[in-house]
Amino acid sequence: MRVFETDSLPRLEDERVAVCGDWHGNVSWLRSLTAAISAFTPGVTTILQLGDWWMDPTATDHLLLDAGIERVYVTLGNHEPWNVISPLLDAHPGVAIRVSEVTWLLPRPARLEIGGRKVLSLGGAASVDRRWRVEGRDWWLDEAITDDHVAAAIDSGEADIMLTHESPARTPVRSVREVLRTNPNGFPSDALIESAASRGRVSQVWDVARPMLLMHGHMHSPGGGRTDDGRRVASFGCDGQQSSLAFLDLNSLTLETPSLRQIREAAEGS
Ligand SMILES: [Mn+2]
């Protein structure tokens, strides 16, 4: 991946942005999403992508630009080409890295300001499907949220919005709690232990930053919830799932979520 430029503290005036769950390199899904963004919310120029991105950024530029998207900020997930990404992050520590005309990879952690809101991005997650992957080919240790990431994120103070790939521990999202309770995919127990530790790291930051809204992907289990002390969590769906796209109003922090059917109809009509 080529580095075009870097930015130490991205600051945007946008009053509304699109937020997307896992893409998994799925270009045809991205085509549907961009059609939906054009149809429902022309004028949106920014996408916040919540990880498991794994795209060829130069191959997606034209789709995004055609939909009026000028920038995609990626909060990295677990399923990413870390062999390519880690050297970039290491060479440009602590800054957002522009890897195509449109796409920026965020550091771990990252601070942004969007529409006057303080935004904290904390990438990474544990792969529960790691047993079926090969280290160095489609799995890398780099996916993990480290103690250093947690410490740096905590040091950066409070935030209005948190962007993560991983879910926090003790999530108020019922659908996510249900997946964790029932383990419907039969993931092995060692992976589940890693996964729980990873969620614990997100929560360490979440409990200090105390964002009014945390948005994450990873669980492929869309839903929303609110903690007893009023903090909202939105779990985004992945490619092809419902609630994989939402529009965030930075003023009210409300999310507007087109249905899967609306996305499909927009894609067919484009
Ligand atoms: Mn995923």
Side-chain angles (χ1 to χ4, degrees):
M1 258 182 261
R2 189 182 142 199
V3 174
F4 289 71
E5 61 173 315
T6 62
D7 188 354
S8 60
L9 179 64
R11 201 184 208 121
L12 306 175
E13 302 299 327
D14 303 40
E15 289 171 12
R16 192 145 65 147
V17 297
V19 186
C20 294
D22 306 27
W23 284 352
H24 298 134
N26 187 337
V27 176
S28 78
W29 177 246
L30 182 62
R31 195 167 289 123
S32 299
L33 288 182
T34 51
I37 291 169
S38 300
F40 301 129
T41 319
V44 164
T45 56
T46 300
I47 292 177
L48 306 177
Q49 202 279 328
L50 297 172
D52 279 14
W53 162 77
W54 205 325
M55 287 283 181
D56 171 357
T58 51
T60 57
D61 272 350
H62 69 284
L63 269 179
L64 293 156
L65 287 166
D66 285 352
I69 299 299
E70 294 168 7
R71 61 195 79 78
V72 175
Y73 284 125
V74 179
T75 293
L76 292 157
N78 51 310
H79 297 153
E80 308 288 7
W82 289 109
N83 56 326
V84 176
I85 289 174
S86 287
L88 298 184
L89 298 183
D90 292 345
H92 307 279
V95 295
I97 302 170
R98 187 172 152 222
V99 292
S100 75
E101 191 165 346
V102 177
T103 303
W104 295 76
L105 305 181
L106 294 175
R108 311 169 67 188
R111 278 279 168 175
L112 305 88
E113 193 183 302
I114 306 176
R117 295 291 191 176
K118 288 185 280 188
V119 181
L120 171 60
S121 160
L122 180 66
S127 292
V128 282
D129 62 353
R130 155 181 180 181
R131 180 181 285 182
W132 296 278
R133 291 174 177 264
V134 175
E135 182 166 6
R137 189 187 72 193
D138 54 9
W139 184 80
W140 292 268
L141 270 169
D142 314 46
E143 69 175 14
I145 303 170
T146 67
D147 291 342
D148 286 349
H149 298 158
V150 169
I154 285 175
D155 279 351
S156 73
E158 294 200 333
D160 301 308
I161 298 166
M162 255 180 92
L163 309 172
T164 64
H165 184 62
E166 183 71 90
S167 163
R170 303 178 309 279
T171 177
V173 180
R174 185 177 299 170
S175 59
V176 171
R177 285 208 312 267
E178 195 59 15
V179 165
L180 294 174
R181 191 179 67 77
T182 59
N183 186 24
N185 295 304
F187 293 126
S189 58
D190 54 341
L192 296 179
I193 290 166
E194 279 288 322
S195 171
S198 181
R199 287 191 299 279
R201 289 186 199 109
V202 172
S203 272
Q204 279 180 267
V205 178
W206 184 43
D207 288 342
V208 173
R210 306 196 68 74
M212 286 172 268
L213 174 64
L214 181 149
M215 298 180 283
H216 71 83
H218 187 53
M219 300 302 299
H220 308 174
S221 181
R226 188 186 292 265
T227 61
D228 290 342
D229 59 3
R231 287 176 287 163
R232 289 157 56 215
V233 175
S235 172
F236 278 64
C238 65
D239 50 324
Q241 259 184 338
Q242 59 166 321
S243 301
S244 175
L245 167 68
F247 299 104
L248 171 67
D249 181 309
L250 275 308
N251 191 39
S252 60
L253 295 189
T254 51
L255 285 166
E256 190 187 318
T257 308
S259 68
L260 199 49
R261 181 179 177 164
Q262 286 175 309
I263 292 172
R264 293 243 158 88
E265 283 172 359
E268 282 159 20
S270 67

